[in-house]
Amino acid sequence: MSKATLVFVLRRLLQVIPVVLAIAAFNFLLLKLAPGDAADIIAGQMGHATVEFTQQLRREFGLDLPLWEQFLVYMTRLLVFDLGVSHLQGLPVIDLILARLPATLILMITAIFIAVLVGIVLGVAAARRQGTLADNLISTLALVVYAIPAFWLGLMLIVLFSIQLDILPSGGMVSIGAGHTGLAHVLDVAWHLVLPAVTLGLFYVAVYTRLMRASMLEVYGLDFIATARAKGLSEGKIAWTHAARNALLPVATLCGVQLGHLLGGSILVETVFGWPGLGRLVFDALLQRDLNLLLGILFVSSVVVVIANLVVDLLYGLLDPRIVHK
Amino acid sequence: MRGLATFWFRFRRNRAAVVGAAVLFVVVLAAIFGPWFYPVDPFDMVGRPYTVPLDQFPLGTDVAGRDILAGILHGARISLLIGLLASLAATIVGVTFGAIAGYYGGRIDDLLMRTTEFFLTIPSFVLAVVLVAIFQPSVTTVTVAIAVVSWPSVARLARGEFIAHRDREYVQGCRAIGMPDWEIILLQIMPNALPPVIVVASLMVATAILTESGLSFLGLSDPNLVSWGYMIGVARTALRTAWWMAAIPGLMIVITVLAINLIGEGLNDALNPKLRK
Amino acid sequence: MTSARFLGLAMAALLAGTAVTALADEPRRGGTLTYTYHPEPTALSTVATTAVPTALISTKIYEGLIEYEGAAMTPVPGLAESWEISDDQLTYTFKLRPDVVWHDGEPFTSEDVKFSIDVIAKGYHSRGRTYFGNVEEIETPDEHTVILHLSAPVPYLIRAFQAGETPLLPRHAFSDEEIAEERVRQAEIMQAPIGTGPFKLQEWNRGSYIILERNEDYWKEGKPYLDQVILRVIPDGAARAIAVERGEVDLAPMTALPPPEMQRLGGLPHLVSSQEGSEGLGPIMWLEVNLREAPLSDKRVRQAISMAIDRERLVDVIWYGNGQPARGPVVSGNPNHFDASLEPFPYDPEAAEALLDEAGYPRGDNDVRFTLTQNFLPYGEEWVRQAEYIRQQLRGIGIEVTNQSLDMGGWLQRIYTDWDYDFTSNFTHNYSDPTIGVQRAFISTNIRQGASFSNSMNYANPHLDDLFHQAAAMPDGPERKAIWDEVQQILREDLPVIFLIEIGYTHIWNERVHGLITNGISMYSNWDSVWVE
């Protein structure tokens, strides 16, 4: 990493810290508007519980303090990356998040990988054959896929592949009780990953196909392609080495921006497939008013998005040598 | 008038967009007049549960013996209504912020950029879920939540357009004759900046319908109204025994969203001819 | 259901039954029982929460002083090998088993019992104060004797010593600071349990599964039969059903599957579906009504609403036959306390309309008499369907209903803290005794803002309060039964809540599993004599 790049990264980090802190504060105040708290939920789960019991829980959780004091406690802890303890599970929030984060990351990364890979191939293919039947077919398909709600697609894939054909698992991440280890375990997870990853990724396949196609067409209009053609380079080589590299820029940008979007989509997909990831945990924590856990997940996801954007900025430099970080 | 004719001429050249418009027209007709032609309350238990389509009822009954066709027709209203209102609200807010930031630049612009960055960093669907869950699901909260997570992208776009226009000669000319800022923004730049915004806004309707269906599916919909996402949620428990129950409303969403996207493409061709390749 | 299909089901049940009896007399050691439930437990001790997921798994790890036997829930020795209750019911003497060790090898002693009651149950359990409020002193004369001294008799106290209610926890697992600073719920043991039960924690993979392994040092000779008990967390209801159907999971306890799936799976030959084994819980569902304001403060209006709801159809369609119409506050399956003279509630919309006319609420504009807001328990799809169905039925007699959807936090706050509602579905358990399960919802001393599942209706009936007090201090017998009969008749007439359905807990298991149903709370028992083929 060059010194200029390092300075750039540090400057960007300094810029985003206030944004992340503002989000944390916003989340805290927003969630405080929710009716009921974790003490109510636990008392409710107990069947009949006395007022004293609920109050005792609030004391334990620090929910009896005045709002500003709770806010100060929260923000102070956040500055040292202490996310607190889950009210319902009694475990450090960071442990709970780390336990679920890998599942979500596997799902998201696989989905985005499928999307980018397939999207680029289809987008380039369509652009090269602009106006032909193949182009029209790809473009139309992309449009249709773009219109499908992911959760519904998931349900339909379950109907087809799990219920009718019975060839793929309908949910979960591993075959429990099978006790696979090593390679068998990896294959087992991969097997369970197929439907959720396709469900989550297909929408983005459409996005990237369209984007890549448009971007390619734009690049095709530039001078250096004509130069390359004049040099007598083959069309395939021009498409993949010259045009695609430049057309990738908007795709890379979008990848970063859409990470947050992807995390939102994973709530639905994880619900449909019972995938033990963060998306589902967010929803459960919200319904259980597990404030610390919920704030922790939202904080971590904001940080992940910020980091992803930063990585994209850096990638930009790699993909397009014209950009120099000042 | 001539502008409109040109617009129609260009729009018509995109055959897919014309098909999209026709389909959407039918959906809108069904939403407006359907419940009148087919006066069945979508919440009434009219028959045995789980009857198959084309038997006693055109599209069969759901898990509680309610007419699915009635649900589709009433659901069309809610899905379209929320899609339109949310996009409209997001567009108005987004354009307002974007125009001010783009036109004035400087501090105001900085503040706006921080704000949009703020909203773009929070995963939008997560924020929508949190908002609706906290403020109780109803048509209003769902619409507002979708608008809240949608406006920043419009704001960014509008800002870009205004920045592109603010130093053009015609704007400088207006300033020279002492035209007030609001008049320059509203009457001079806006008509030029609006076309790309309209395209984005039309596509936003489609996204809003998708978001609404996702929220409904999680149980975050107005409990007094049927929407398509709600119907999929209801059918989910019966997926194994009656897959069509979930398939029908889902197909309606796909068709409608697709139609709107096609129209959006057509609008793009018609309004931004220079972008057309 | 057509008669042919019914016959098929009956045959299937019969065949399954013969298979069970043929093999049931020779339990086999070894094997794994996998069950599924959602949500995942948040802790592994009922001290942290008594929610169903936690109660299901923690009762295999922790034990109580007593266990239950049979549907009548006869107390039998658990960790106490014998006990004595003095004639004045003020002294309970328990003799503990001398040969019991905790999962970490430490001996189990009277100190643990004293700690579990005094510190844990009284201090942290939601019902602890109800049970043990009258316990003045706990004596431990030696390592294996515990004596409780009460200030006043508590006739149902013996029921409190089962593992689900008062699990025994090891004193040595808690530090003095944790106890002093009230941080018991955050103690390590809540996640890494140390009990005396037949199973101990092997692995907890959050979001996926929990594996319990056989406790080789269990104090019951030759038990448990199983090597492992596995909980598989599957959030999606349909996926749970598929797992059971395919035999990937052996058991779906406590209505763990969506009703339509239960109905479907109940007809399959290799699965057994049963509502037995939950008699001790006595689940009942009603519409809780806010009596503070007109028109619901008018008894006739409530009676009209009661008559406008077709409970049979509700059970049939919305709950897929999973239960039966309620006949009063006590479930009809309760052999000791139910007043058998109570008839099912009538369904008669015309009479309901007449009652509303009489009460002074004629149909007005748009045929509407008045409007109400309905809330519903956020327990899942069926509860929403039910609310929708009730809205349509009430619309039929001219009551316009707006449904309001709240999640659990919002619902608890609105119903029990704000008291700001018209009516809502609610669900509660009778438990083994009406003093525990029924009294809490109707006694006027329980009109307490902020107390969940209390008397939110603002229902105050001095005579009824009096009856509750009498019954609370009286042993079961004809005299107490007469009091309970009167209580049921009063509540049925007053309708402070509109009794709807006795929802059944359905358990579905693979026929290879045996010995599950042993008492009135079978799923909260320790499963030491469950075995698999």
Side-chain angles (χ1 to χ4, degrees):
Chain A
M1 206 184 273
S2 73
K3 199 177 159 210
T5 319
L6 197 70
V7 171
F8 168 77
V9 170
L10 286 177
R11 234 189 50 197
R12 275 299 309 265
L13 275 179
L14 280 180
Q15 264 176 5
V16 294
I17 285 173
V19 173
V20 169
L21 285 181
I23 289 176
F26 170 80
N27 287 339
F28 180 88
L29 297 172
L30 177 67
L31 293 176
K32 274 289 165 191
L33 290 175
D37 57 21
D40 285 320
I41 297 284
I42 295 176
Q45 285 180 349
M46 291 281 203
H48 172 54
T50 57
V51 188
E52 293 74 25
F53 176 75
T54 319
Q55 287 302 347
Q56 180 190 335
L57 286 175
R58 284 205 181 97
R59 262 200 313 281
E60 278 179 43
F61 300 151
L63 294 170
D64 58 334
L65 301 173
L67 184 63
W68 63 270
E69 216 169 307
Q70 292 185 44
F71 181 66
L72 276 186
V73 169
Y74 171 68
M75 292 306 279
T76 323
R77 276 199 331 234
L78 210 54
L79 288 175
V80 291
F81 289 100
D82 176 3
L83 298 179
V85 173
S86 154
H87 297 326
L88 266 95
Q89 313 204 25
L91 279 181
V93 165
I94 192 71
D95 292 357
L96 291 169
I97 292 178
L98 289 180
R100 297 286 195 104
L101 194 60
T104 291
L105 285 182
I106 289 173
L107 177 62
M108 280 173 44
I109 290 171
T110 314
I112 207 94
F113 184 73
I114 294 174
V116 169
L117 201 73
V118 178
I120 288 175
V121 170
L122 288 182
V124 171
R128 284 180 64 190
R129 297 168 183 78
Q130 195 196 354
T132 65
L133 185 70
D135 177 27
N136 283 334
L137 201 69
I138 291 173
S139 301
T140 311
L141 256 177
L143 261 177
V144 172
V145 169
Y146 193 65
I148 302 178
F151 66 93
W152 180 75
L153 177 71
L155 293 177
M156 293 299 113
L157 291 178
I158 289 177
V159 168
L160 185 62
F161 290 101
S162 305
I163 298 176
Q164 302 293 337
L165 300 175
D166 197 12
I167 50 174
L168 284 170
S170 64
M173 190 168 159
V174 288
S175 312
I176 291 156
H180 292 305
T181 49
L183 185 65
H185 174 72
V186 173
L187 287 177
D188 190 38
V189 171
W191 196 232
H192 284 78
L193 184 61
V194 176
L195 286 186
V198 167
T199 303
L200 187 58
L202 211 55
F203 175 80
Y204 299 96
V205 169
V207 173
Y208 294 129
T209 303
R210 286 160 57 78
L211 190 65
M212 193 66 194
R213 178 180 176 274
S215 180
M216 281 292 282
L217 291 178
E218 200 153 322
V219 175
Y220 267 137
L222 297 178
D223 290 344
F224 76 101
I225 297 291
T227 318
R229 283 208 177 106
K231 278 198 244 164
L233 291 177
S234 75
E235 276 299 314
K237 190 154 187 189
I238 291 173
W240 288 107
T241 56
H242 289 74
R245 184 175 162 166
N246 286 281
L248 269 177
L249 283 175
V251 173
T253 321
L254 201 63
C255 266
V257 173
Q258 280 190 329
L259 209 77
H261 191 244
L262 204 62
L263 193 75
S266 68
I267 292 190
L268 288 165
V269 174
E270 286 177 11
T271 303
V272 169
F273 289 100
W275 193 260
L278 273 188
R280 185 67 217 176
L281 195 62
V282 147
F283 195 50
D284 290 343
L286 175 64
L287 294 186
Q288 294 181 325
R289 298 287 187 273
D290 199 335
L291 192 65
N292 282 349
L293 180 56
L294 192 52
L295 286 170
I297 302 171
L298 293 178
F299 178 74
V300 167
S301 62
S302 302
V303 170
V304 168
V305 171
V306 165
I307 291 175
N309 282 327
L310 198 60
V311 170
V312 165
D313 282 347
L314 290 174
L315 272 180
Y316 235 86
L318 288 178
L319 289 168
D320 188 347
R322 284 170 305 184
I323 295 176
V324 179
H325 304 304
K326 289 176 212 145
Chain B
M1 224 38 234
R2 230 194 104 238
L4 210 61
T6 327
F7 166 79
W8 175 240
F9 174 74
R10 287 194 186 129
F11 185 83
R12 212 179 44 184
R13 269 200 316 209
N14 186 332
R15 266 175 303 166
V18 177
V19 172
V23 170
L24 187 67
F25 185 66
V26 173
V27 175
V28 170
L29 277 188
I32 296 173
F33 299 108
W36 189 64
F37 274 110
Y38 193 79
V40 177
D41 186 329
F43 282 111
D44 261 347
M45 199 184 282
V46 291
R48 290 171 44 79
Y50 292 91
T51 59
V52 295
L54 302 175
D55 186 17
Q56 250 182 304
F57 302 91
L59 296 177
T61 56
D62 76 351
V63 297
R66 302 173 299 192
D67 191 327
I68 292 180
L69 179 60
I72 292 290
L73 294 174
H74 281 85
R77 289 185 169 185
I78 300 310
S79 297
L80 287 176
L81 188 75
I82 290 180
L84 282 174
L85 286 182
S87 309
L88 194 67
T91 308
I92 292 174
V93 174
V95 167
T96 310
F97 274 58
I100 293 172
Y103 184 77
Y104 290 105
R107 284 266 171 83
I108 299 177
D109 190 24
D110 267 357
L111 188 71
L112 174 99
M113 288 317 286
R114 287 286 155 276
T115 317
T116 52
E117 193 169 338
F118 174 95
F119 275 95
L120 290 171
T121 308
I122 307 177
S124 60
F125 188 71
V126 177
L127 181 58
V129 165
V130 170
L131 284 173
V132 176
I134 287 180
F135 297 107
Q136 282 176 44
S138 71
V139 169
T140 319
T141 53
V142 171
T143 309
V144 169
I146 297 176
V148 165
V149 301
S150 311
W151 72 268
S153 58
V154 184
R156 286 203 153 183
L157 182 73
R159 170 181 174 270
E161 290 294 317
F162 270 79
I163 288 176
H165 283 276
R166 71 173 174 212
D167 296 323
R168 295 263 176 93
E169 280 171 21
Y170 75 92
V171 178
Q172 286 175 351
C174 292
R175 281 206 199 96
I177 59 166
M179 196 184 275
D181 284 348
W182 68 265
E183 216 177 313
I184 301 178
I185 291 175
L186 271 182
L187 302 178
Q188 300 298 323
I189 305 183
M190 194 66 88
N192 294 304
L194 221 45
V197 172
I198 290 175
V199 173
V200 167
S202 72
L203 294 174
M204 207 156 59
V205 177
T207 317
I209 290 176
L210 289 177
T211 309
E212 189 279 333
S213 71
L215 289 171
S216 297
F217 177 70
L218 290 177
L220 298 170
S221 67
D222 193 316
N224 298 293
L225 297 166
V226 175
S227 80
W228 292 334
Y230 159 89
M231 294 178 74
I232 299 175
V234 171
R236 184 167 166 232
T237 47
L239 199 59
R240 204 170 162 73
T241 28
W243 57 269
W244 63 86
M245 240 185 250
I248 296 169
L251 275 178
M252 288 307 297
I253 295 176
V254 175
I255 291 170
T256 309
V257 171
L258 181 59
I260 294 172
N261 283 337
L262 289 174
I263 294 171
E265 301 254 298
L267 286 177
N268 194 31
D269 291 354
L271 295 172
N272 302 335
K274 58 177 186 284
L275 290 179
R276 190 171 157 80
K277 295 283 170 188
Chain C
M1 200 183 289
T2 62
S3 58
R5 178 133 174 256
F6 178 73
L7 201 65
L9 284 182
M11 290 289 287
L14 208 64
L15 286 173
T18 40
V20 172
T21 42
L23 289 154
D25 31 13
E26 35 184 320
R28 201 182 65 90
R29 255 280 289 123
T32 298
L33 173 79
T34 306
Y35 77 96
T36 182
Y37 198 83
H38 186 79
E40 185 175 10
T42 51
L44 294 184
S45 154
T46 47
V47 172
T49 162
T50 49
V52 176
T54 300
L56 275 172
I57 195 141
S58 70
T59 44
K60 319 298 174 267
I61 303 169
Y62 293 103
E63 294 180 293
L65 287 173
I66 62 153
E67 293 173 12
Y68 290 138
E69 202 172 79
M73 312 272 284
T74 318
V76 295
L79 288 179
E81 58 183 8
S82 68
W83 64 89
E84 248 173 65
I85 304 171
S86 66
D87 289 339
D88 59 4
Q89 294 199 53
L90 294 178
T91 312
Y92 285 62
T93 310
F94 292 95
K95 274 283 177 205
L96 308 184
R97 252 169 229 289
D99 51 349
V100 179
V101 291
W102 294 99
H103 291 159
D104 62 358
E106 297 282 323
F108 161 76
T109 68
S110 53
E111 270 310 305
D112 296 317
V113 178
K114 179 177 158 73
F115 166 76
S116 299
I117 294 174
D118 229 12
V119 177
I120 300 291
K122 270 174 114 170
Y124 293 91
H125 195 292
S126 65
R127 282 187 287 276
R129 290 192 189 89
T130 318
Y131 286 131
F132 300 111
N134 289 351
V135 174
E136 282 191 320
E137 199 201 342
I138 300 177
E139 243 187 291
T140 51
D142 63 62
E143 287 212 326
H144 303 297
T145 309
V146 179
I147 305 172
L148 271 64
H149 296 284
L150 276 65
S151 57
V154 182
Y156 51 85
L157 187 63
I158 194 68
R159 307 262 184 215
F161 296 104
Q162 197 266 349
E165 289 297 320
T166 311
L168 298 180
L169 276 72
R171 169 66 183 85
H172 64 269
F174 297 87
S175 69
D176 294 340
E177 295 81 55
E178 278 169 344
I179 295 166
E181 292 166 20
E182 294 194 340
R183 281 191 292 115
V184 160
R185 241 181 290 270
Q186 276 97 52
E188 199 192 339
I189 189 177
M190 293 300 156
Q191 311 293 332
I194 303 164
T196 58
F199 298 96
K200 52 187 183 181
L201 181 68
Q202 182 186 329
E203 190 191 352
W204 183 355
N205 190 322
R206 271 163 205 284
S208 294
Y209 57 85
I210 297 178
I211 301 178
L212 303 184
E213 62 179 344
R214 186 174 194 266
N215 174 9
E216 299 293 342
D217 304 318
Y218 190 51
W219 53 272
K220 275 186 205 163
E221 200 64 44
K223 299 263 185 84
Y225 294 129
L226 294 167
D227 284 336
Q228 284 185 324
V229 170
I230 298 179
L231 160 65
R232 201 178 149 174
V233 182
I234 309 175
D236 178 58
R240 284 197 290 279
I242 292 167
V244 173
E245 184 182 6
R246 285 187 178 164
E248 291 164 15
V249 163
D250 303 307
L251 166 69
M254 311 282 291
T255 316
L257 307 180
E261 297 288 350
M262 289 196 296
Q263 194 179 42
R264 189 174 66 81
L265 296 193
L268 297 178
H270 68 291
L271 298 177
V272 184
S273 170
S274 171
Q275 292 196 14
E276 277 175 55
S278 299
E279 296 80 1
L281 294 174
I284 182 156
M285 190 239 293
W286 61 56
L287 292 180
E288 195 142 317
V289 181
N290 195 340
L291 305 176
R292 291 174 184 80
E293 278 172 42
L296 289 173
S297 53
D298 189 328
K299 187 164 86 183
R300 288 168 298 185
V301 172
R302 301 196 295 274
Q303 287 166 339
I305 291 175
S306 172
M307 280 193 281
I309 298 170
D310 186 349
R311 293 172 174 80
E312 294 273 358
R313 198 146 175 226
L314 199 56
V315 171
D316 251 22
V317 175
I318 307 294
W319 298 97
Y320 294 83
N322 211 354
Q324 50 191 321
R327 286 149 75 179
V330 177
V331 297
S332 55
N334 183 328
N336 303 324
H337 308 108
F338 177 66
D339 176 4
S341 73
L342 297 179
E343 295 286 321
F345 286 97
Y347 169 59
D348 191 345
E350 278 170 33
E353 296 226 42
L355 255 178
L356 289 174
D357 288 337
E358 182 196 315
Y361 297 101
R363 282 183 184 255
D365 299 338
N366 297 326
D367 273 351
V368 174
R369 298 173 190 275
F370 50 86
T371 57
L372 295 173
T373 301
Q374 173 175 225
N375 290 102
F376 48 89
L377 261 184
Y379 279 180
E381 289 290 321
E382 290 72 33
W383 298 84
V384 189
R385 296 295 88 73
Q386 170 171 288
E388 290 163 355
Y389 180 66
I390 288 171
R391 181 181 64 202
Q392 299 303 103
Q393 296 239 290
L394 295 189
R395 186 175 286 171
I397 59 166
I399 302 174
E400 189 65 29
V401 176
T402 309
N403 284 353
Q404 187 180 50
S405 165
L406 296 168
D407 62 9
M408 201 60 200
W411 186 85
L412 286 166
Q413 164 132 20
R414 193 169 281 261
I415 308 299
Y416 294 108
T417 304
D418 298 344
W419 288 336
D420 177 19
Y421 73 102
D422 288 340
F423 71 101
T424 175
S425 52
N426 201 353
F427 176 65
T428 162
H429 293 113
N430 278 177
Y431 291 117
S432 50
D433 193 285
T435 297
I436 304 172
V438 176
Q439 172 187 307
R440 57 182 176 171
F442 301 104
I443 198 164
S444 68
T445 50
N446 230 348
I447 304 176
R448 295 199 59 194
Q449 210 150 11
S452 54
F453 297 97
S454 56
N455 182 346
S456 78
M457 302 86 70
N458 199 33
Y459 177 63
N461 181 336
H463 178 52
L464 191 79
D465 287 355
D466 197 40
L467 292 177
F468 279 134
H469 287 308
Q470 288 178 35
M474 195 185 281
D476 262 340
E479 200 186 342
R480 192 161 186 260
K481 174 74 169 65
I483 293 180
W484 286 130
D485 285 357
E486 193 184 345
V487 165
Q488 289 166 70
Q489 284 150 20
I490 291 173
L491 287 172
R492 219 185 117 107
E493 169 65 20
D494 272 4
L495 284 183
V497 303
I498 292 156
F499 302 102
L500 281 186
I501 297 174
E502 301 168 2
I503 295 186
Y505 275 122
T506 303
H507 321 295
I508 294 185
W509 64 86
N510 197 294
E511 60 172 359
R512 68 192 271 278
V513 182
H514 303 276
L516 269 174
I517 305 296
T518 50
N519 59 41
I521 47 167
S522 297
M523 298 302 145
Y524 294 170
S525 300
N526 66 21
W527 289 354
D528 62 3
S529 36
V530 174
W531 59 280
V532 293
E533 282 169 34

